Amino acid sequence: MKDVVHIPVMRTEVLSLLIGQNNSSGLVIDATLGAGGHSEALLEKYPDIRIVGIDADEGMLGLAKKRLKKYGNRIDFVHGWFDDVLTELSTQCSVSAILMDLGVSVFHYQSSGRGFSMFKDEPLDMRLFPGHGITAEEILMTKTEEELVSIFSDFGEVRFAKTIAKSIIKHRRNNNIRTAKELADIVFNSVPSRFRHGRIHPATQVFQSLRIAVNNELSRLDRALSLSMSLLHDYGRCAVISFHSLEDRIVKRFFKQNSNKDNDMYFNIITKKPLVPTEDEIKNNPPSRSAKLRVAELVLCKDGVKHENV
């Protein structure tokens, strides 16, 4: 696998907010490890923590293992979907903090060969867990027009979703839609000419919606957030970095719905409004420009029951 330079998004903010004053030791879960940038920063700053790093892509785990080798047994690497792994862990231990960085890595766009970038002539795969589940091509070739419209609208808030879906159905009658560039061209030619040369390519949100559908991303986020309440111990923190409004709304709603102080356990919301990257970070790391960070701290009442921290 080709090494790709990975710069962790909002590194400074994660370092200052993820670990609370009462939890500077113990176990931390990096639920979306990627190339290991955030874990590296946390292990360096907090010498008394251990980390469980989770990723669905074994290739990314390989990059992270190389990067974090010097930390030895302070980090364990787990291959799998983060919501599945969190389910298993929730019956075994409690943790000081959980970090979820929901962004797709630079590697996937630049070097994976799986069709994440609309500008590359690559197979339309888009699976973050290679070899598991349905591909983007299979969705495009098998779903009805109504189902495609729903995917584009619900997961990408795509303008002209119906027009684009009609064009895809028409195209596939005689030709498979095999590559990312083929799909981008179909979308480009589907939308009215005056919308083809805007600030972003007209296929951007179509690609987003397909990736979310292929990897079941929003449902996984919902499940992982719910599991955080059974994993975190008293004053443990959950931090989520999202990259589009659909994800951010889910995180905002979850923290708010679980912030009632009359409950046996509740989230104290640390970031009343989401934090966003500084101008300097955006300049030095353009993919960070759409990031939003929300952090909340779990508080237990006196008779709340939790597992012993390990």
Side-chain angles (χ1 to χ4, degrees):
M1 173 181 289
K2 179 181 176 182
D3 286 357
V4 176
V5 176
H6 171 72
I7 304 172
V9 171
M10 301 187 75
R11 177 183 184 276
T12 300
E13 293 83 355
V14 168
L15 282 178
S16 65
L17 293 176
L18 179 64
I19 308 297
Q21 291 181 347
N22 298 307
N23 284 305
S24 59
S25 63
L27 191 63
V28 173
I29 296 177
D30 187 341
T32 48
L33 180 64
H38 286 117
S39 282
E40 181 180 45
L42 291 163
L43 289 164
E44 184 68 27
K45 181 172 181 178
Y46 299 101
D48 295 325
I49 68 167
R50 293 184 297 116
I51 288 180
V52 173
I54 305 166
D55 207 280
D57 191 327
E58 284 188 296
M60 294 304 298
L61 282 178
L63 292 178
K65 286 177 182 178
K66 185 186 300 184
R67 182 174 192 161
L68 303 172
K69 183 178 179 180
K70 63 182 178 180
Y71 296 102
N73 61 8
R74 290 184 60 204
I75 179 164
D76 293 316
F77 301 92
V78 182
H79 178 227
W81 286 115
F82 64 98
D83 57 320
D84 291 337
V85 178
L86 292 181
T87 299
E88 294 177 17
L89 292 174
S90 67
T91 65
Q92 301 170 17
C93 61
S94 67
V95 302
S96 299
I98 301 171
L99 172 65
M100 305 178 205
D101 176 353
L102 304 177
V104 176
S105 74
V106 173
F107 159 77
H108 285 102
Y109 286 106
Q110 292 184 357
S111 305
S112 71
R114 289 181 232 148
F116 289 96
S117 170
M118 70 190 80
F119 303 112
K120 291 181 177 288
D121 199 23
E122 298 174 344
L124 270 169
D125 189 311
M126 293 195 190
R127 290 175 293 182
L128 292 170
F129 194 143
H132 288 253
I134 190 172
T135 67
E137 179 185 350
E138 289 171 313
I139 286 177
L140 291 172
M141 295 302 298
T142 61
K143 297 297 183 183
T144 66
E145 179 181 319
E146 291 74 18
E147 288 171 327
L148 289 175
V149 170
S150 179
I151 288 170
F152 298 155
S153 300
D154 294 346
F155 298 152
E157 300 176 316
V158 174
R159 195 172 190 179
F160 307 115
K162 191 171 182 63
T163 301
I164 293 168
K166 283 182 178 294
S167 294
I168 289 169
I169 297 294
K170 180 179 179 180
H171 184 91
R172 80 185 192 190
R173 287 179 187 142
N174 300 308
N175 303 280
N176 283 359
I177 305 171
R178 290 193 173 92
T179 72
K181 191 175 183 307
E182 284 180 63
L183 175 60
D185 288 343
I186 292 170
V187 175
F188 182 84
N189 293 317
S190 298
V191 303
S193 57
R194 66 183 183 278
F195 294 102
R196 293 175 184 171
H197 302 284
R199 184 173 58 86
I200 63 172
H201 192 285
T204 299
Q205 290 166 312
V206 171
F207 272 69
Q208 171 190 298
S209 63
L210 281 172
R211 193 200 74 228
I212 289 172
V214 165
N215 297 289
N216 202 18
E217 293 177 29
L218 300 186
S219 294
R220 294 190 189 283
L221 174 59
D222 266 326
R223 187 181 179 203
L225 287 169
S226 296
L227 287 163
S228 70
M229 298 193 77
S230 58
L231 276 160
L232 292 167
H233 58 63
D234 208 7
Y235 301 111
R237 292 188 176 185
C238 179
V240 185
I241 303 173
S242 61
F243 288 83
H244 55 76
S245 58
L246 297 173
E247 293 171 336
D248 183 58
R249 284 200 292 268
I250 289 172
V251 179
K252 178 183 178 180
R253 182 177 67 244
F254 176 79
F255 285 159
K256 185 175 182 180
Q257 288 176 342
N258 291 282
S259 63
N260 187 341
K261 295 183 179 181
D262 292 329
N263 294 336
D264 287 346
M265 64 175 71
Y266 65 89
F267 273 115
N268 177 33
I269 299 174
I270 305 298
T271 52
K272 302 306 179 185
K273 292 185 178 180
L275 301 183
V276 297
T278 63
E279 291 183 9
D280 283 345
E281 177 171 4
I282 294 171
K283 181 179 178 181
N284 294 322
N285 186 22
S288 71
R289 64 186 176 274
S290 57
K292 291 183 178 180
L293 171 65
R294 293 185 186 270
V295 183
E297 183 175 78
L298 190 69
V299 179
L300 301 181
C301 66
K302 290 182 179 180
D303 57 352
V305 177
K306 300 292 284 184
H307 299 287
E308 290 296 322
N309 190 28
V310 297

